[in-house]
Structure formats: C-alpha cells, structure tokens
Amino acid sequence: MSKPQAGRKVGEREALAVATTVRGSPYKLNLVAGLIRGKKAEEAITALAFSRKAMAVDVKKCLQSAIANAENNHNLDVDRLWVKEASVGKAITMKRFATRARGRSSRIIKPFSRLRIIVQERDINQEAGE
C-alpha cells in the first residue's frame, strides 16, 4: 500500500534542474536566463562564466546541475546537450523594515526567485539543420 511512483516531469531525452531560492528579483534573473536559452550547453556555460551579471553564478550552478543530471541519471551524451528551456518565476519574499526620519519606518522587500532549466539531447541531424 505505497504511493504510486510519479512519472517523469520532462521528455524522454531531457533532464531538469530547479533552483528554488535564488536571492534576487525575477526580472534580473530572467535577463541572465535569456543569455542561455536555445544555446548548446557548452556555449551557455562559457557565456555565463564571462558574464558580468551577479546572477550568472547561480544560473551557472543550476545549468551544471542539469547537465550532471542528464549524464548520471538519464545516460545522455553531454556533448549533444542544448538548453531547451530556462524559465524564471517568483519565490518567497522577505519583508524587512528600515528606520526613517521623524520616527517613521519603511518596508524593504527582499525577493527570491525560482529557476528551472531543461536540457535536451539533440541528434546530429538536428544540429546541422540549425
């Protein structure tokens, strides 16, 4: 009487990695995620390594996790992986207060974001068709 096993959340030749609490706004994270959408995995890692955006560090970690999942869990060829999807969403928001003049206070909002990266193994014919 155990729970039935959940199916895969992605396709047959795909792997997934999710970063649930990335410190920063979804807008800023989406700018960096846009750099890697549709690129080969190797090119995407290079682009993130040389990006001057602070969020690139967290995106690179998540991408490397997706590549490792593809290699170790799903037996996919690392050289033929490309970034199929890099989606960003809102996560929790910390609320803090700062003291202001004349005994007042104002709210400071510290947002967290959620990053979901899917890498897919592509055939050699599909790569040539680009």
Side-chain angles (χ1 to χ4, degrees):
M1 293 290 309
S2 63
K3 233 162 87 170
Q5 187 175 0
R8 288 192 65 192
K9 294 180 180 171
V10 292
E12 189 59 35
R13 294 168 56 184
E14 297 174 356
L16 167 73
V18 179
T20 54
T21 52
V22 178
R23 180 68 180 86
S25 72
Y27 179 81
K28 291 178 184 177
L29 184 61
N30 195 33
L31 289 175
V32 178
L35 293 174
I36 64 169
R37 284 189 191 108
K39 288 188 177 180
K40 292 179 82 171
E42 188 178 329
E43 292 174 14
I45 287 178
T46 305
L48 291 171
F50 292 103
S51 175
R52 297 182 68 181
K53 300 271 187 191
M55 292 282 197
V57 176
D58 295 318
V59 175
K60 185 179 173 190
K61 269 189 202 176
C62 188
L63 178 60
Q64 287 174 331
S65 176
I67 293 169
N69 289 342
E71 183 180 12
N72 298 320
N73 301 345
H74 306 300
N75 299 322
L76 301 178
D77 185 15
V78 177
D79 297 328
R80 295 193 297 167
L81 289 178
W82 64 285
V83 180
K84 180 184 177 187
E85 178 186 319
S87 58
V88 176
K90 287 183 180 179
I92 61 172
T93 302
M94 289 194 305
K95 289 151 185 111
R96 300 290 182 260
F97 288 93
T99 55
R100 306 303 293 233
R102 294 166 55 184
R104 296 191 174 123
S105 64
S106 64
R107 179 182 270 190
I108 295 175
I109 294 175
K110 299 187 174 191
F112 282 78
S113 305
R114 193 169 185 276
L115 176 65
R116 184 173 188 257
I117 295 179
I118 297 176
V119 292
Q120 183 179 42
E121 188 180 46
R122 201 183 252 184
D123 287 335
I124 294 169
N125 336 354
Q126 288 177 325
E127 289 177 10
E130 279 187 3

